[in-house]
Amino acid sequence: MAREYLKKATKTARSDAADVSATVQGILDDIEQGGDAKALEYAAKFDKYDGPILMSEAEIEAACAQVPEKLKADIEFSHANVKRFAELQKSTMTDVETEVVPGLIAGQKVMPVEAAGCYVPGGRYSHIASAIMTVTTAKVAGCKHITACSPPRPGVGIAPAIVYAAKICGADAILAMGGVQGVASMAFGLHGLPKANILVGPGNQFVAEAKRILYGRVGIDMIAGPTDSLILADKTADPEIVAADLVGQAEHGYNSPVWLVTDDRALAETVMARVPELIAELPEVNRDNATAAWRDYAEVILCDGREEMAATSDEYAPEHLTVQAEDLDWWLDRLTCYGSLFLGEETTVAFGDKASGTNHVLPTSRAATYTGGLSVHKYMKVVTWQRATREGAKDVAIATARISRLEGMEGHARTADIRLAKYFPGENFDLSAEE
């Protein structure tokens, strides 16, 4: 059978994507020209905060002192897991060299960027985990300066738990500023900070657009849209857990798509009946977000067997992909497009979001078809080098001269000619592009 939509979304992640480009470009231009003063002006307007922008060590310590010891322990546990996994990732990138042809050695060096800017959302929810995910990976990569930037709350400042997480994970500076003005401050090196070479971390549509506009002048992790999640479930899945996992991701925001793909009609119908009941039990803000997300963006898709389920998932290329089905190794080998994969009911997206070690900054809106999520690798540059003996350069120079002339690049060709003439006087070479 073809796919059957038991529930079809009326909107997509792009339905409510307002055209914010002109607004963001204007703010970036103003701040680049006006510097610190203009950034502070926008901070006063949007953050509605008149406290210290760049937190002092004493202010950081005071904020950390407000964090309960149990929460500190949880943050430290999460940091240790993320750090351990990041160190494993870094170990996969090494300096190498090889003799390409006799006498010519080429290699690569792996090195971190100098300065990283880590944006940590702090609006609807205090994203403690985002501080852990972004700052820890930058620190493990070896960035010499890391700025953590988060929107302050009027009269309060940055949530103390975010400050604590940023500090223990290795931030060198903590900037109490949100939105475009925070991103711009890191990119332009305002408030006495070094210019960031890369900007990372999730944020709202204005933050995402600022990163998109600045990309090229600085590196970015990715351009993120609303978070999305897909669950693949067969007859062995527990419908209560499936429903809870869908609701857990729908609470992110009114426009956060969640999808259930299954080959079991009974499971689908049970989950569809249960989700609204679980949503109704959430606190008000979470309930309102999840209600809208489930109503407008959620889909339940019935497929004919696991191959069609896998093909559907790959087409959707979800940010988060959960498999609650038999033969997990088959799914691991078969699935190709996702930001992060959660195999079996014993793990869940929330584990990856908060504490299990893999990163939660992931590709959304089908970007998983071409990229993975944030990792140590995002902060690393892979550069190449070469050296040669004169004999080793000989055949390369001959080929270079001929190819360059065929392309019409005579200046390139002559850089090969001059070396052949110097290193092998008296030898004649056919360096023309013609037969």
Side-chain angles (χ1 to χ4, degrees):
M1 71 177 184
R3 295 177 197 161
E4 180 182 350
Y5 286 82
L6 303 183
K7 185 182 187 311
K8 179 70 173 172
T10 58
K11 296 181 179 180
T12 71
R14 300 188 183 278
S15 298
D16 294 308
D19 183 10
V20 300
S21 184
T23 300
V24 173
Q25 184 69 68
I27 296 172
L28 288 173
D29 290 344
D30 277 354
I31 293 175
E32 185 168 21
Q33 294 170 15
D36 289 12
K38 186 59 71 170
L40 292 172
E41 184 180 314
Y42 277 108
K45 178 180 179 180
F46 294 125
D47 294 330
K48 295 179 171 56
Y49 172 72
D50 58 3
I53 295 299
L54 194 61
M55 295 185 70
S56 68
E57 193 61 38
E59 289 159 349
I60 292 171
E61 291 297 335
C64 292
Q66 298 179 48
V67 181
E69 291 303 316
K70 185 165 67 172
L71 179 53
K72 285 182 178 179
D74 290 336
I75 291 171
E76 290 162 9
F77 173 79
S78 174
H79 169 240
N81 289 344
V82 173
K83 182 173 182 283
R84 190 175 299 112
F85 190 77
E87 288 170 341
L88 173 65
Q89 288 180 319
K90 187 178 181 183
S91 72
T92 68
M93 302 183 72
T94 59
D95 295 351
V96 296
E97 63 180 65
T98 186
E99 192 169 34
V100 178
V101 296
L104 191 152
I105 299 171
Q108 75 171 26
K109 283 181 63 68
V110 182
M111 61 186 74
V113 300
E114 289 280 320
C118 302
Y119 190 89
V120 181
R124 185 185 301 123
Y125 306 117
S126 293
H127 286 270
I128 301 165
S130 288
I132 298 170
M133 301 291 170
T134 56
V135 177
T136 302
T137 44
K139 189 70 174 178
V140 171
C143 298
K144 291 183 178 177
H145 191 278
I146 303 165
T147 299
C149 172
S150 190
R153 294 175 179 177
V156 177
I158 301 175
I162 290 179
V163 175
Y164 182 75
K167 176 180 171 58
I168 70 159
C169 294
D172 297 291
I174 301 177
L175 187 65
M177 190 176 281
V180 178
Q181 61 273 19
V183 172
S185 293
M186 294 189 291
F188 301 148
L190 304 183
H191 317 296
L193 299 170
K195 291 182 179 180
N197 304 115
I198 187 169
L199 298 169
V200 303
N204 64 18
Q205 60 189 10
F206 293 94
V207 169
E209 181 62 15
K211 288 166 64 179
R212 187 193 68 79
I213 291 172
L214 290 166
Y215 178 55
R217 298 177 61 170
V218 298
I220 64 171
D221 48 359
M222 65 200 75
I223 301 168
T227 189
D228 59 68
S229 300
L230 187 148
I231 297 178
L232 292 163
D234 66 11
K235 64 183 180 182
T236 67
D238 182 335
E240 188 73 8
I241 289 179
V242 172
D245 285 356
L246 291 169
V247 172
Q249 290 304 298
E251 79 170 350
H252 271 288
Y254 73 91
N255 59 350
S256 296
V258 291
W259 306 295
L260 171 61
V261 178
T262 181
D263 58 357
D264 188 271
R265 184 181 296 272
L267 173 85
E269 291 174 349
T270 301
V271 170
M272 289 173 65
R274 190 70 180 110
V275 164
E277 297 171 351
L278 294 177
I279 290 175
E281 297 170 2
L282 292 173
E284 182 180 1
V285 172
N286 313 63
R287 181 173 67 243
D288 291 346
N289 284 324
T291 296
W294 178 254
R295 180 188 66 229
D296 298 334
Y297 294 87
E299 293 186 336
V300 179
I301 306 169
L302 189 63
C303 294
D304 184 18
R306 67 181 187 179
E307 178 55 41
E308 187 171 69
M309 290 168 62
T312 300
S313 176
D314 282 346
E315 181 180 318
Y316 276 60
E319 177 188 11
H320 309 103
L321 177 55
T322 299
V323 178
Q324 294 180 19
E326 292 181 308
D327 197 0
L328 295 178
D329 287 338
W330 182 88
W331 296 97
L332 179 60
D333 291 340
R334 168 62 183 81
L335 296 163
T336 60
C337 293
Y338 52 83
S340 193
L341 179 61
F342 301 83
L343 293 164
E345 73 167 46
E346 292 78 15
T347 188
T348 182
V349 174
F351 290 0
D353 278 350
K354 310 304 178 187
S356 63
T358 57
N359 210 287
H360 82 186
V361 182
L362 299 166
T364 63
S365 306
R366 298 195 71 248
T369 58
Y370 63 83
T371 188
L374 180 63
S375 69
V376 166
H377 306 154
K378 293 283 186 178
Y379 303 93
M380 308 293 286
K381 301 180 293 184
V382 178
V383 297
T384 59
W385 59 268
Q386 60 183 265
R387 68 171 54 155
T389 63
R390 294 183 172 186
E391 190 64 40
K394 185 177 186 180
D395 290 341
V396 174
I398 293 169
T400 297
R402 292 173 181 168
I403 291 170
S404 297
R405 288 196 167 92
L406 186 64
E407 294 173 336
M409 304 187 75
E410 183 61 27
H412 279 60
R414 292 181 184 183
T415 65
D417 295 349
I418 194 171
R419 285 168 171 78
L420 289 168
K422 177 179 180 179
Y423 302 156
F424 305 101
E427 284 195 49
N428 293 318
F429 301 100
D430 178 8
L431 303 178
S432 69
E434 301 173 358
E435 291 291 339

